[in-house]
Amino acid sequence: MRRTLATKVLPAVGAGLLVALAVPGFAAADTLDAYTKGVLPDSVGFNSTWVIVAGMVVMFMQAGFAFLEIGFSRQKNAGTVVAKILTNFSIAAVCWYFVGFALAFGNDAAGIHGLIGGTGFLLHAFGDPAQAFPIMGLSDATVESKFFFQFVFCAVSLAIVWGTTLERIKFGVYVIYAVVFASIIYPIGAHWVFGGGFLQVPVGLWKDLGFVGMQDFAGSTAVHLIGATGAFAALLLLGPRKGKYGADGKPRAIPGHNMPLFGLGVLILWLGWFGFNPGSTLNVQDGRFTEIVVVTNLAAACGVLGALMMSYLKTKTLDIGMAGNGAIGALVAITAPSGYVELWAAIPIGLIAGIIVPLGIYAIDRRLDDPVGALTAHGLCGIWGTLSCGLFSSPRLASYNTVGDPAGGLLYSGSLSQLAAQAVGFAVAFAFVFAMSFATFYAIKKVYGLRVTEEEEDAGLDISEHGMYGYPEQFIPPAELIGYGGGAVATVPPAPVPSLATKESPA
Amino acid sequence: MRRTLATKVLPAVGAGLLVALAVPGFAAADTLDAYTKGVLPDSVGFNSTWVIVAGMVVMFMQAGFAFLEIGFSRQKNAGTVVAKILTNFSIAAVCWYFVGFALAFGNDAAGIHGLIGGTGFLLHAFGDPAQAFPIMGLSDATVESKFFFQFVFCAVSLAIVWGTTLERIKFGVYVIYAVVFASIIYPIGAHWVFGGGFLQVPVGLWKDLGFVGMQDFAGSTAVHLIGATGAFAALLLLGPRKGKYGADGKPRAIPGHNMPLFGLGVLILWLGWFGFNPGSTLNVQDGRFTEIVVVTNLAAACGVLGALMMSYLKTKTLDIGMAGNGAIGALVAITAPSGYVELWAAIPIGLIAGIIVPLGIYAIDRRLDDPVGALTAHGLCGIWGTLSCGLFSSPRLASYNTVGDPAGGLLYSGSLSQLAAQAVGFAVAFAFVFAMSFATFYAIKKVYGLRVTEEEEDAGLDISEHGMYGYPEQFIPPAELIGYGGGAVATVPPAPVPSLATKESPA
Amino acid sequence: MRRTLATKVLPAVGAGLLVALAVPGFAAADTLDAYTKGVLPDSVGFNSTWVIVAGMVVMFMQAGFAFLEIGFSRQKNAGTVVAKILTNFSIAAVCWYFVGFALAFGNDAAGIHGLIGGTGFLLHAFGDPAQAFPIMGLSDATVESKFFFQFVFCAVSLAIVWGTTLERIKFGVYVIYAVVFASIIYPIGAHWVFGGGFLQVPVGLWKDLGFVGMQDFAGSTAVHLIGATGAFAALLLLGPRKGKYGADGKPRAIPGHNMPLFGLGVLILWLGWFGFNPGSTLNVQDGRFTEIVVVTNLAAACGVLGALMMSYLKTKTLDIGMAGNGAIGALVAITAPSGYVELWAAIPIGLIAGIIVPLGIYAIDRRLDDPVGALTAHGLCGIWGTLSCGLFSSPRLASYNTVGDPAGGLLYSGSLSQLAAQAVGFAVAFAFVFAMSFATFYAIKKVYGLRVTEEEEDAGLDISEHGMYGYPEQFIPPAELIGYGGGAVATVPPAPVPSLATKESPA
């Protein structure tokens, strides 16, 4: 197996943790909040229950992303997704605890209004809860429940980054970028958009320029576009999979190996979105979350139908992958407006997102190799969802979680001010995340490399990165993959690795 | 790929939606209920939380049905299930929003007592909540939470229809029937049985005939039998899979390709039932839902044991599929009585359902090709569950959610009146749904056709309906499938489709 | 198929149930608790909601264990896991209802303080709820919700037993041991550790010896170590899989067939642990459960990182299975202390558990064939977790659910008394469970046999125990499994079984 810098990153992370543990006083660093307060009002109990349950299904979206990616990978690259998702989620959890949450949702650091949070490192001394969560802080759920809920959002955003890079990226890249993303990139971007930062609550120059507060209820921009932007930066530096583009420059389909598992991923994600959007109320007392459940489901349904219709028009086929990505694209799109629109608006928002899906995937596929369609489903649909607030926000709902006295979207107010805030908002978030991510990936590329070797790509990442196949009993060398020849005789072992049948366990 | 009427249905559905959007005033059509009311009593918040969470796991039952069907399909037909479940669920969501919910759970249409609901189209102007949900309206959860909960019930019922039709039905049939089912058939049937209609709350002639109210707590009849009845109608017109019956007329086993994924489906469904039955209280304040959790689980466990015992007696083998179907059959059976019986009654109800499963499956298999056993698990066990209320309903519990002063089941009251109401109730529901479904499928058969061609059936629905395999890398041509020949060399491509290896993406 | 004593056990179980049903008065045996009490305080409603939701995700851990085992099995043994998990869960459910719950969590049997519960058989006459759940009884959730929650714990413990015995155990062993385990072994062990027994609440001799109460918040010992101890007893009598150890006595790797499904199992288990630990508060009113969510997640994350680092140091490879088992080992370890430690302590507890995982797995693998690593993940990590309370328990939290006036762990108190209670506690539990389990398996071995025949092991348990393959279409005879030869032509059928292609359904 390779001994690379990459695989030395994990020990370094661990060493860092152990050092941190050695710091005196660390043991006293966090003060658990809820229990210390003694008996809480009942509403804190049941609001927190909802936030935790919502967070749990959002956490389970990791399985959704894993199986969406596994389904769209060739079977020689299926096992690595499991190691990737566990590693990334774990790194994010540690980074979120140490710094991420504080930067994203802490009270503003002294003197730096609207740019970055500065309290709550290690969940210690979180600060005045009335100041924290300035907008979403309507609730009285425990800080710990919000910490967990916002962590799984960060982990979703990170998971979105990698679908685009499947089947050729080095494992170590996941590790390095995950640290930067969960510690810095996501927290700052999220702070700006829905953590009380300047895009959500205009201050200083931003206020003087006359911007109204950006609306992004559950993160079309803050979670999905940020993830897709990271994916875009990675893809530009990484390049396509071997064989994706022919000598003529035309794209070839590289079918994923398992549509049933792709379907499992989609259904888990759909389920998770009932935590994602309705959970973002952080509160059940006003019943608003139940309305958001209905809005979310209706949009997703229209996304499936829109994507199937449009892909049928383009290809005369009812594409299974498009149906699934239609659901996801629509769910991404409804994420921002779900808190601000009437039920009916879920239909155009979802339907248009569904239509965007095949159009975007086919267009991007001509130049960029995005195996799962994440640039479209999370990127383009994230933009559409963010903008749609500027069209459809209902005045009576817009005030639910927006600063000032919002006039609502264009359809209601005739005003472009919300739409302008949305457009500038996602542009700012995109620019920040793209610059940070491109710089990070560029540095990784120079120092360590982004891609596995051609031989490793041929052999598959499972065997080359992990020394084992995801499906050792039925592995078929990729060189033999011709037409329907799933059953072809394996004559050429894909790489010089020790025979599995005689490989010994380490002593 | 084929260009058929079927694949033109989706665009038509979409066009309809867009037209609807163009109607002036549509934008004002729905009034979100909860938020408009301002701060609600705390109990609304936490009751609604339970209803939403229960609805979420019932929604996830779609994955359960998908993997139960995938597991029981041959691998050439595995991918289409994903497209099917997404399409059906989506169509149902839209239809439920426009008309289904209003017909099923709206207040009675003026002058038509007990036959059909008439308020709440587009969740607008739902009417007096005290009149709505006349029986289940004990709760004070939000209307939106009930809308979602009842929608996922409708979607479960629709999902049940299709297991029986696996591996030979045209995709377009799903689309057409789903519209009719979710707009008309299910809502009317559900209204009669548990939406306040004449079977649940006898009025007019029905009352004069002396019927007591039918008991179907969570839908053994209203959801499961209705779905299975649709399946039965489809099957009569569709016929068996090619090769199912030999020249001698005897059935041959066509093993499903993936028992692990079948197992995943069963466990997801079992989980979902903890939403299905206990969620139907729509309320947590009296603690009743926790008792229903225990009743439900105990019945399912006995179903597994009953099915294993009986199938062992029949075949001297511990059949994996029977174990799973035993759980499902018992869960279907306990669905109706779960609200009305003491804990102990879960044992005979579940055990007998489990025993019914292999007996029913083997008996039906002699004449009708039901690949997943849904006619037994949802049909026969649905009937048994519905009738079991007439035997086991406990007087003190029967009054929980039943009109009048119920005497309880035969074992307690010595009276046959509840049993009679149950028997007539399911017969009425069966007759209505069968007539409507048979007519619908018959019309589809005449105009469009129900079955794929023989060549398409041989090639598999994945490639013939969707232009892609569910497992492109390991596909084995069905003609080569002999004995254990999973590894046979693929020499005969199954159908004249473009080679996947060179297929280009659409530009 | 074989007609063995084993397969006669199920009918016997069924007969027993039917006899029980025939006992007069049985019908009145249970009194549903909650509803009888009429309207309950609101807090009972929402506390019970959390307990039930937590129990639901713990129930879903059955799917987690199933797919962890399926992933680590060869494909000839994948289907049997589904039948096993359904059968075991069902037997446990029935036994728990009749006797298990009463022995584990009933009020102490008269005159036998601290050894065994004695009220609540069939959930009847549970006794004074204030006496029941003497420690965990801080909550006011319904008894039924606690019954369900504790049942799924029992079922998890039972599921842990079997991973170690994969691929060679007779199906009947599951049935027999499940009855003994769920009726006697687990209930008594759980009573001692966290059901109010002498380890948790020292009485009599134990008190005189000066022991403080053992801390095991959610069952590192009571659930995980008990399960792993049963596994250990079974393994000693069962022996390794054929071919596991070469002529030189060195272990050979027998790779599991499906890493993606293994990953699904791990993610489901991780999700389930958010019910497992935080649900053990049985209460949401003090917000403590939200802190336990954060502690649990942080530990799991560190477990993944620790296991990856250590396994990389040992093998220079990022092992997929180790990543998953690292998560599980850390979750097992944090289970006991999760209720008693500050957030920061999750890091060393999880990290050390992660480090234990590869060390334990490689060490055990040299002598004992544990295909899934359960002896390490649930056994060694269970011990570490139990002991860690003695190190890290925070005084202010230790009093949350511990008898007397606990001084906290060594780090806070400088006292070894808690550590001693922990060490003696797990030793007592281990000794009891090992003796009971070894005796049970020994008796089974003598009377019925533990292992399938060599021919059956070669053919695989799916075909030999169930007469069907888990993956009938792609089955590859194990004799042909050489190197990457997943695609090899099948020339030698693995066992003299009837051809699947011509197998007829039973008439």
Side-chain angles (χ1 to χ4, degrees), chain B residues 328-409:
Chain B
I328 293 167
L331 287 161
V332 169
I334 200 65
T335 296
S338 61
Y340 309 116
V341 299
E342 307 286 347
L343 288 188
W344 70 269
I347 295 175
I349 293 171
L351 204 57
I352 291 170
I355 290 167
I356 289 171
V357 162
L359 297 179
I361 287 176
Y362 292 141
I364 288 173
D365 192 56
R366 296 170 73 173
R367 296 295 179 92
L368 293 171
D369 181 17
D370 177 10
V372 303
L375 296 184
T376 300
H378 298 276
L380 298 183
C381 291
I383 294 173
W384 159 238
T386 304
L387 291 177
S388 74
C389 295
L391 301 174
F392 296 108
S393 283
S394 171
R396 74 186 182 91
L397 296 168
S399 60
Y400 182 67
N401 194 8
T402 309
V403 169
D405 194 21

Side-chain angles (χ1 to χ4, degrees), chain B residues 8-241:
Chain B
K8 283 180 182 165
V9 171
L10 278 173
V13 170
L17 292 177
L18 288 170
V19 167
L21 285 173
V23 176
F26 186 87
D30 50 54
T31 303
L32 294 174
D33 173 69
Y35 181 64
T36 303
K37 287 183 185 164
V39 175
L40 306 167
D42 277 359
S43 57
V44 175
F46 56 76
N47 283 331
S48 298
T49 300
W50 170 239
V51 175
I52 290 295
V53 171
M56 283 160 63
V57 292
V58 176
M59 175 270 165
F60 198 47
M61 290 172 78
Q62 296 293 316
F65 286 108
F67 283 93
L68 189 136
E69 293 182 7
I70 286 168
F72 274 157
S73 297
R74 285 164 293 181
Q75 60 185 7
K76 65 181 176 180
N77 299 314
T80 188
V81 175
V82 172
K84 188 267 302 279
I85 214 98
L86 293 173
T87 306
N88 260 255
F89 188 77
S90 299
I91 291 173
V94 173
C95 295
W96 189 253
Y97 170 65
F98 279 101
V99 294
F101 181 63
L103 300 188
F105 293 99
N107 295 328
D108 268 358
I112 323 178
H113 294 303
L115 284 180
I116 194 165
T119 61
F121 298 95
L122 297 91
L123 256 181
H124 178 57
F126 186 76
D128 181 1
Q131 285 185 36
F133 292 89
I135 298 303
M136 293 193 164
L138 299 169
S139 86
D140 58 348
T142 68
V143 169
E144 287 84 357
S145 67
K146 294 171 189 168
F147 172 93
F148 177 68
F149 188 73
Q150 299 298 352
F151 158 62
V152 288
F153 271 51
C154 170
V156 162
S157 192
L158 178 57
I160 291 165
V161 174
W162 303 119
T164 297
T165 69
L166 286 182
E167 306 201 285
R168 72 270 205 206
I169 200 168
K170 281 171 133 173
F171 197 86
V173 180
Y174 298 138
V175 176
I176 304 167
Y177 183 75
V179 173
V180 180
F181 184 85
S183 301
I184 300 173
I185 298 176
Y186 176 79
I188 293 179
H191 186 75
W192 294 356
V193 178
F194 63 15
F198 71 99
L199 292 175
Q200 186 184 24
V201 188
V203 287
L205 175 65
W206 214 251
K207 193 176 181 183
D208 298 342
L209 288 169
F211 282 109
V212 302
M214 181 181 179
Q215 293 182 323
D216 187 8
F217 190 71
S220 289
T221 286
V223 177
H224 295 279
L225 183 60
I226 283 181
T229 302
F232 181 56
L235 183 52
L236 292 183
L237 291 163
L238 183 66
R241 288 169 293 176

Side-chain angles (χ1 to χ4, degrees), chain C residues 131-346:
Chain C
Q131 287 185 32
F133 292 88
I135 299 302
M136 293 194 164
L138 299 169
S139 86
D140 58 349
T142 67
V143 169
E144 287 84 358
S145 68
K146 294 170 190 168
F147 172 93
F148 178 68
F149 188 72
Q150 299 299 353
F151 159 61
V152 289
F153 271 51
C154 171
V156 163
S157 192
L158 179 57
I160 292 164
V161 174
W162 303 120
T164 298
T165 69
L166 285 182
E167 306 200 287
R168 73 271 204 204
I169 199 168
K170 280 171 134 174
F171 197 85
V173 180
Y174 298 137
V175 176
I176 302 168
Y177 183 75
V179 172
V180 180
F181 184 86
S183 301
I184 300 173
I185 298 176
Y186 176 79
I188 293 178
H191 186 73
W192 293 357
V193 178
F194 63 16
F198 72 98
L199 293 175
Q200 187 184 25
V201 188
V203 287
L205 174 67
W206 215 250
K207 194 175 180 184
D208 298 341
L209 288 170
F211 282 111
V212 303
M214 181 181 180
Q215 292 182 325
D216 186 8
F217 190 70
S220 288
T221 286
V223 177
H224 295 279
L225 182 61
I226 283 181
T229 303
F232 181 56
L235 183 51
L236 291 184
L237 292 162
L238 183 66
R241 289 170 291 177
K242 195 179 163 189
K244 173 66 189 176
Y245 296 97
D248 56 0
K250 287 191 178 169
R252 288 156 184 265
I254 302 180
H257 83 289
N258 200 315
M259 285 302 101
L261 292 185
F262 164 75
L264 177 64
V266 172
L267 287 165
I268 291 174
L269 290 173
W270 195 324
L271 171 70
W273 243 286
F274 294 124
F276 210 91
N277 292 358
S280 290
T281 59
L282 302 174
N283 185 293
V284 301
Q285 289 173 277
D286 61 7
R288 186 81 186 87
F289 75 112
T290 65
E291 303 171 334
I292 297 174
V293 167
V294 177
V295 166
T296 299
N297 195 58
L298 200 51
C302 293
V304 170
L305 300 179
L308 279 174
M309 288 185 280
M310 182 48 64
S311 71
Y312 181 74
L313 290 177
K314 294 279 287 184
T315 68
K316 305 304 171 207
T317 260
L318 293 164
D319 191 286
I320 301 168
M322 289 300 169
N325 264 326
I328 293 167
L331 286 161
V332 169
I334 200 65
T335 296
S338 60
Y340 308 115
V341 299
E342 306 286 346
L343 287 187
W344 70 269

Side-chain angles (χ1 to χ4, degrees), chain A residues 469-474, chain B residues 260, chain C residues 65-82 84 162-169 174 241 253-262 369-373 460-462 470-471 475 481:
Chain A
Y469 281 110
Y471 305 103
E473 287 185 52
Q474 54 185 286
Chain C
F65 286 108
F67 283 93
L68 187 137
E69 293 183 8
I70 286 168
F72 273 157
S73 298
R74 285 164 292 181
Q75 61 185 7
K76 65 181 177 180
N77 300 314
T80 189
V81 175
V82 172
K84 188 268 303 279
W162 303 120
T164 298
T165 69
L166 285 182
E167 306 200 287
R168 73 271 204 204
I169 199 168
Y174 298 137
R241 289 170 291 177
I254 302 180
H257 83 289
N258 200 315
M259 285 302 101
L261 292 185
F262 164 75
D369 181 17
D370 177 9
V372 304
L461 302 185
D462 289 4
Y471 305 103
F475 192 76
L481 240 194

Side-chain angles (χ1 to χ4, degrees), chain A residues 1 7 10 27 30 32-36 49 67 87 90 142 151 466 469-475 497 503 505-506, chain C residues 74-75 253 256-257 259-260 284 290-291 297 301 304 308-309 312 316-318 343-344 362 365 396 474 484 486:
Chain A
M1 296 302 104
T7 43
L10 278 173
D30 52 52
L32 294 174
D33 173 69
Y35 180 64
T36 302
T49 300
F67 283 93
T87 306
S90 298
T142 67
F151 159 62
H466 305 286
Y469 281 110
Y471 305 103
E473 287 185 52
Q474 54 185 286
F475 192 76
V497 293
K503 184 181 154 199
S505 302
Chain C
R74 285 164 292 181
Q75 61 185 7
H257 83 289
M259 285 302 101
V284 301
T290 65
E291 303 171 334
N297 195 58
V304 170
L308 279 174
M309 288 185 280
Y312 181 74
K316 305 304 171 207
T317 260
L318 293 164
L343 287 187
W344 70 269
Y362 292 141
D365 193 54
R396 72 184 183 91
Q474 53 184 290
Y484 311 96

